[in-house]
Amino acid sequence: MNPEALLPTEEQYLFCIRCGQCVTECPTFRVTLKETQSPRARVMLIRKFLEGELEPGPNFVDQIYSCLDCLACNAVCPVGIKPADLALRMRAYLHRTQPQPWIKPLVFRGYFTRPRLIELSMLPFIVYQRLGLQKLLHSLGLNRLLPAQLRDLERLMPNPLPLRPLRASVPELISARGERKHRVGFFLGCFQNTVFARGSAASIRVLAENGCEIFLPKDVRCCGMPHLGYGELDTFLELARHNIALFEREELEAIVTDCATCGSTLKEYGEYLRDDPEWAERAERFSRKVRDVSEFLVEIGFREPARKLPLRVTYHDPCHLRRGQNVWKQPRQIIRASVEEFVEMEGADTCCGSAGTQILTHYETSSAILEGKIRKVEASGANVLATGCPGCQLQLGLGVRKHNLRIQVLHPVELLDLAYTLESEGEKG
């Protein structure tokens, strides 16, 4: 692809009226109060670059990559400018035209394209936890000797991690419980396969409980969002074609995922492949079938459990679920059906600061955003925080541990699964 084709057109950036609505919604501006950390400034920087008044130096690149792609600016712009989309287009252009760090191809082409390697990479963390090394480190206070960023990275993973990836634990075809009413595919994301395998196992059980036969292809690869976010557009398109080909082998009513980021990305395959004559129609057909698990369960009319869990639950809206897919009522419906008390926290739809890798690339900003979010979680008085994105689960779990809060971080569908279990145990008793 010609790099020039990746650049935004005048219509996509020129009509910014600098009203500031995006500024007040932007999480990076809220914590830094710097104009350069706002969507309005990024649009202006892109315009200056495209008009030949600015070179793509290190500061320019950093500003483009500091965007969390939370989509809040896209949603509020009164003239239809989409600053988050412009940032992604610029990243793709910079990837093609500027020297890149040597580690980038190793991570995005060598690691994220290989599910087995992702699984193997979890082994050191599993050993570290299961042998008690993490507990020992913390009991001796040695973790406090680490720099703040390393200290947070050390406790980012939930404990304990699953011993086996979910892909190795379930068959490719999973039968419905009772009468089969639906036949769906399940897109198993990278983190759901490894870090949050228990959550995705719960999603599968809930789908089966609601009459779904589930096709779970073992060769599924990363949805491609990490590559899209870092400008690796060619690799993203390779992954998209691979995943489309896997699922189109079967006649499926829907392709379900319990990852907000995966769902948002999968729903965009059709858009990104629209100019590919071989794949355009196939990609569009694929994307039309994609559903978030909460979206699909509400769509088919999930069975409400007879007993509710004695929990007080609040909910964080993942950006790529609420704004990327316009799915926000459905997770709340599932939570309310599953627990005795649901409480809305202030700013439920504001970004938690994760954006996948911000804790690595923009640590101070990511941490400051997380601090504000955790204060609102604590103020809710909930003992469970539900959210439907693994990146958010990692980030919010870290915040809960940093503040020593007695709050579990779970996927909404895990609550429904637990309620079904409670109902079943009541029937046995």
Side-chain angles (χ1 to χ4, degrees):
M1 180 184 295
N2 179 3
E4 301 298 320
L6 300 169
L7 292 173
T9 63
E10 283 190 353
E11 289 77 11
Q12 292 173 312
Y13 69 83
L14 193 58
F15 301 115
C16 174
I17 59 176
R18 307 183 194 178
C19 63
Q21 289 196 44
C22 64
V23 174
T24 59
E25 295 295 320
C26 178
T28 58
F29 176 81
R30 283 176 174 177
V31 300
T32 64
L33 298 180
K34 294 179 180 178
E35 175 67 18
T36 52
Q37 289 286 326
S38 73
R40 178 172 62 185
R42 293 185 189 107
V43 172
M44 181 53 64
L45 287 171
I46 291 169
R47 176 177 177 176
K48 292 295 184 183
F49 167 72
L50 293 173
E51 293 178 352
E53 297 181 35
L54 185 66
E55 292 295 322
N59 184 58
F60 176 83
V61 173
D62 184 66
Q63 297 304 335
I64 296 301
Y65 274 90
S66 68
C67 171
L68 298 168
D69 193 35
C70 72
L71 307 176
C73 53
N74 288 9
V76 299
C77 179
V79 294
I81 299 292
K82 296 183 177 180
D85 294 3
L86 295 182
L88 289 186
R89 289 181 73 92
M90 281 307 305
R91 291 178 193 179
Y93 175 81
L94 293 170
H95 178 76
R96 290 289 190 95
T97 59
Q98 303 296 312
Q100 299 295 310
W102 63 269
I103 197 170
K104 197 171 178 182
L106 291 180
V107 172
F108 293 105
R109 292 194 65 85
Y111 177 73
F112 275 113
T113 59
R114 300 178 181 179
R116 181 58 179 156
L117 187 57
I118 295 173
E119 293 172 358
L120 290 173
S121 71
M122 293 295 114
L123 288 177
F125 298 101
I126 294 171
V127 170
Y128 177 59
Q129 290 180 351
R130 299 283 175 159
L131 291 183
L133 299 177
Q134 186 174 41
K135 185 177 180 181
L136 178 64
L137 184 81
H138 285 246
S139 64
L140 295 176
L142 297 178
N143 62 308
R144 292 194 291 270
L145 301 177
L146 298 171
Q149 186 174 17
L150 286 178
R151 191 163 60 244
D152 283 353
L153 288 170
E154 184 272 335
R155 56 184 168 179
L156 183 64
M157 293 289 184
N159 190 348
L161 287 169
L163 286 173
R164 297 181 68 201
L166 185 59
R167 187 175 63 158
S169 308
V170 294
E172 190 167 80
L173 192 63
I174 300 155
S175 299
R177 289 195 62 185
E179 179 189 357
R180 190 188 89 174
K181 302 175 183 176
H182 311 279
R183 192 167 196 274
V184 303
F186 188 81
F187 187 92
L188 183 60
C190 306
F191 276 101
Q192 291 88 339
N193 180 44
T194 52
V195 178
F196 297 109
R198 283 185 289 271
S200 282
S203 294
I204 289 169
R205 286 193 295 270
V206 166
L207 287 168
E209 178 68 28
N210 283 277
C212 296
E213 182 180 73
I214 304 150
F215 169 61
L216 193 153
K218 299 299 184 76
D219 293 332
V220 72
R221 295 183 185 173
C222 176
C223 68
M225 184 58 202
H227 310 81
L228 194 59
Y230 278 85
E232 281 266 6
L233 189 56
D234 288 340
T235 309
F236 166 76
L237 294 176
E238 288 175 17
L239 291 167
R241 294 182 185 105
H242 172 85
N243 290 328
I244 291 167
L246 277 183
F247 282 93
E248 68 183 8
R249 298 187 334 222
E250 303 284 330
E251 286 293 328
L252 303 170
E253 177 182 340
I255 298 166
V256 180
T257 178
D258 58 1
C259 168
T261 303
C262 289
S264 179
T265 306
L266 299 173
K267 287 179 179 180
E268 292 183 334
Y269 278 5
E271 175 67 18
Y272 278 96
L273 285 164
R274 69 185 185 280
D275 296 325
D276 186 322
E278 181 184 350
W279 289 89
E281 185 179 340
R282 297 164 70 181
E284 180 59 30
R285 186 165 55 246
F286 173 93
S287 290
R288 283 199 304 267
K289 289 185 177 183
V290 177
R291 300 287 188 278
D292 180 76
V293 63
S294 63
E295 179 184 21
F296 182 72
L297 287 168
V298 170
E299 197 174 282
I300 64 173
F302 70 93
R303 183 180 68 78
E304 295 195 12
R307 299 178 65 185
K308 294 188 177 185
L309 302 168
L311 298 172
R312 179 182 173 94
V313 179
T314 193
Y315 177 72
H316 161 73
D317 285 286
C319 300
H320 283 89
L321 192 57
R322 176 143 191 167
R323 286 184 285 273
Q325 304 180 60
N326 196 32
V327 173
W328 57 279
K329 294 180 181 178
Q330 297 93 326
R332 288 167 169 81
Q333 287 177 251
I334 287 171
I335 295 168
R336 287 191 176 99
S338 306
V339 304
E340 291 182 354
E341 186 176 6
F342 172 72
V343 56
E344 284 282 1
M345 67 169 157
E346 181 188 353
D349 63 343
T350 59
C351 183
C352 67
S354 169
T357 57
Q358 290 288 311
I359 193 173
L360 293 170
T361 61
H362 295 83
Y363 171 71
E364 291 185 3
T365 305
S366 176
S367 297
I369 295 169
L370 175 61
E371 285 298 308
K373 173 64 78 168
I374 291 298
R375 284 195 295 270
K376 291 170 182 174
V377 172
E378 187 175 14
S380 73
N383 46 29
V384 173
L385 169 59
T387 188
C389 173
C392 297
Q393 286 179 269
L394 284 175
Q395 180 89 337
L396 294 167
L398 170 63
V400 164
R401 289 188 286 275
K402 286 177 72 171
H403 286 262
N404 296 312
L405 302 178
R406 298 176 67 84
I407 298 175
Q408 279 187 288
V409 180
L410 298 173
H411 194 289
V413 177
E414 285 186 85
L415 295 169
L416 184 55
D417 180 58
L418 289 169
Y420 284 154
T421 301
L422 181 67
E423 173 188 84
S424 177
E425 289 173 351
E427 290 173 357
K428 291 177 182 177

